[in-house]
Amino acid sequence: TSLQRRLKRPGRWLPVALLPFAAHAQINYVPSNATNVPGTYTDLAATGTTIVTANTDDDNSAAQAIGFSFIYNGTAFTQFVLNTNGFIKLGATAPSAVDLFFPESQTAPQIDPFESTNAADVNILAPFNFDLTAGSATGGTEYRATTTGAAPNRVCTVQWKNVADKTLTNGQQYSSINFQVKLYETSNIIEFVYGTTVQGTLPDIFRLAVVGIKGSGISSDQ
């Protein structure tokens, strides 16, 4: 069952939180243009490039090549930085912190990248922003990117493989989660793709994740 479908089940965790937004001319992605499309999650396996991070808990990667110019928020980007907590930031500079995710405790010091007012936390694409860590599936946790196709119709796929929600005192909701973000050349379409998940030991519980995109500030969240 796809993660997207699991999220819709009553009593399951992680209802997708789409933050308030205001449409701005500089970010030409509006909810009316967003659609759910049928498709299949395809593991990148050994294709492309492994994205190295210091750990699988809270970390940003070095800048990675998209493979073409991707137009977003009025700017042509050729690189991105991956955060282990389920998002990428377009451009060569890292986000303001490594532990950017929606805090489930009101007293937690973290702030999610969408509500951050730090100038570094812009141009963010988040297929599944959550406090993530290594999953338990065989083969280990991996982040990977590959660019396929021929100009002007190439696609850059960024993959989080075998990650899991941070362990609570009584276990994890899912012990392995897989998802991708795809960037399309020329059309500048953004696609979030969700693969299979493995149920963990945590009983059904209400938890929150953030899925969406951010332009030049919190007024251009979607």
Side-chain angles (χ1 to χ4, degrees):
T1 305
S2 71
L3 179 59
Q4 183 182 32
R5 289 178 181 173
R6 284 179 182 265
L7 291 175
K8 293 179 180 178
R9 290 184 181 179
R12 289 289 182 185
W13 79 311
L14 296 172
V16 176
L18 294 179
L19 301 179
F21 73 95
H24 284 246
Q26 76 271 18
I27 182 166
N28 197 26
Y29 296 87
V30 295
S32 59
N33 290 337
T35 58
N36 291 324
V37 296
T40 302
Y41 171 93
T42 302
D43 182 8
L44 295 183
T47 61
T49 302
T50 301
I51 300 175
V52 177
T53 59
N55 61 76
T56 57
D57 189 354
D58 299 318
D59 201 23
N60 293 315
S61 73
Q64 309 291 314
I66 294 175
F68 51 85
S69 290
F70 182 77
I71 311 300
Y72 181 80
N73 197 22
T75 302
F77 293 98
T78 59
Q79 294 176 295
F80 69 89
V81 174
L82 176 139
N83 184 279
T84 58
N85 291 311
F87 71 90
I88 64 171
K89 178 192 173 187
L90 296 173
T93 60
S96 64
V98 294
D99 57 343
L100 290 174
F101 52 83
F102 190 90
E104 295 185 274
S105 169
Q106 293 183 346
T107 60
Q110 289 83 10
I111 186 170
D112 75 80
F114 286 78
E115 291 200 343
S116 171
T117 57
N118 191 298
D121 299 330
V122 295
N123 301 317
I124 286 172
L125 312 179
F128 197 70
N129 178 226
F130 192 78
D131 187 11
L132 297 172
T133 188
S136 61
T138 302
T141 297
E142 182 186 70
Y143 315 104
R144 183 177 290 271
T146 188
T147 299
T148 55
N153 298 305
R154 289 168 288 191
V155 181
C156 176
T157 304
V158 184
Q159 176 173 280
W160 290 255
K161 181 177 180 179
N162 186 30
V163 297
D165 55 290
K166 186 67 67 67
T167 302
L168 299 177
T169 55
N170 53 344
Q172 292 172 308
Q173 185 72 58
Y174 289 97
S175 61
S176 182
I177 307 170
N178 304 279
F179 56 91
Q180 301 168 338
V181 58
K182 291 177 177 283
L183 310 179
Y184 287 78
E185 186 180 20
T186 305
S187 68
N188 301 306
I189 286 174
I190 299 165
E191 189 173 57
F192 296 161
V193 185
Y194 303 93
T196 56
T197 60
V198 178
Q199 182 72 42
T201 59
L202 186 69
D204 289 346
I205 188 173
F206 182 82
R207 305 186 73 183
L208 291 171
V210 175
V211 175
I213 62 178
K214 180 181 182 180
S216 57
I218 62 174
S219 62
S220 57
D221 294 341
Q222 298 190 26

